[in-house]
Amino acid sequence: MEEIGWDPALHSPVTRAMLRVGAVAVAAGLVAGPASAVPATWVPLSRAAVEAELDAAAEQAGVRRAEYTAMGLVVTADNESDRPSEDCMLAWAAAEGAGGREYAAVTAVLREHGWTELRREDSPGGDTYVNLGKGGWTATVAYDRGPGSFTVLTFTAMAHAC
């Protein structure tokens, strides 16, 4: 039987970057820590509230959503509640022109609004991301300085309960 694999060369640089960010978001949910580490004053946020906070931080930093965003996240359901993944995660990319300055501004705004930095990675190859936690969610803001003038700024968030 022949093994069929995913060939990244067949996909655009934007698609490859967005799929990498999706993987980071999934990993971010796994490293967020056990529920016992949640402070007693913790208040869970809804998907709508998380999306509103990400949108507001992006707007304050001068970032707009790309008109068409396909993040390549897997659609699943929570086995215990049959809650669709739309309630558990969100993802979008910034419009062209967003770069390192906007990445730094968005992450600063999110920290000002109570998001706690969980992990940050700045690789010499150009991939930079930060995982931030709040209200039972991990949000990942990622900036990829791809080849040439290609850059992409993405936002993903995943609920810990899903």
Side-chain angles (χ1 to χ4, degrees), residues 1-137:
M1 181 180 279
E2 183 180 327
E3 186 177 323
I4 300 173
W6 182 73
D7 184 359
L10 298 176
H11 300 281
S12 74
V14 172
T15 301
R16 289 193 310 264
M18 289 181 179
L19 288 171
R20 279 196 312 269
V21 169
V24 169
V26 171
L30 298 175
V31 300
S36 62
V38 176
T41 58
W42 177 79
V43 176
L45 294 174
S46 68
R47 181 193 185 280
V50 170
E51 188 167 17
E53 287 199 26
L54 290 176
D55 286 345
E59 184 178 326
Q60 189 173 340
V63 175
R64 313 179 280 109
R65 281 188 188 216
E67 194 169 325
Y68 300 101
T69 301
M71 292 298 290
L73 296 174
V74 177
V75 175
T76 61
D78 178 348
N79 290 335
E80 292 180 20
S81 68
D82 292 326
R83 201 172 25 199
S85 65
E86 294 85 34
D87 291 342
C88 299
M89 61 178 44
L90 64 102
W92 59 274
E96 277 189 52
R101 185 179 66 222
E102 290 80 8
Y103 164 80
V106 168
T107 58
V109 170
L110 288 170
R111 282 193 304 270
E112 289 171 7
H113 290 103
W115 288 82
T116 303
E117 188 170 316
L118 304 172
R119 180 179 178 163
R120 173 182 294 274
E121 184 168 323
D122 300 310
S123 73
D127 295 336
T128 302
Y129 72 90
V130 62
N131 294 336
L132 302 145
K134 182 178 178 182
W137 287 77

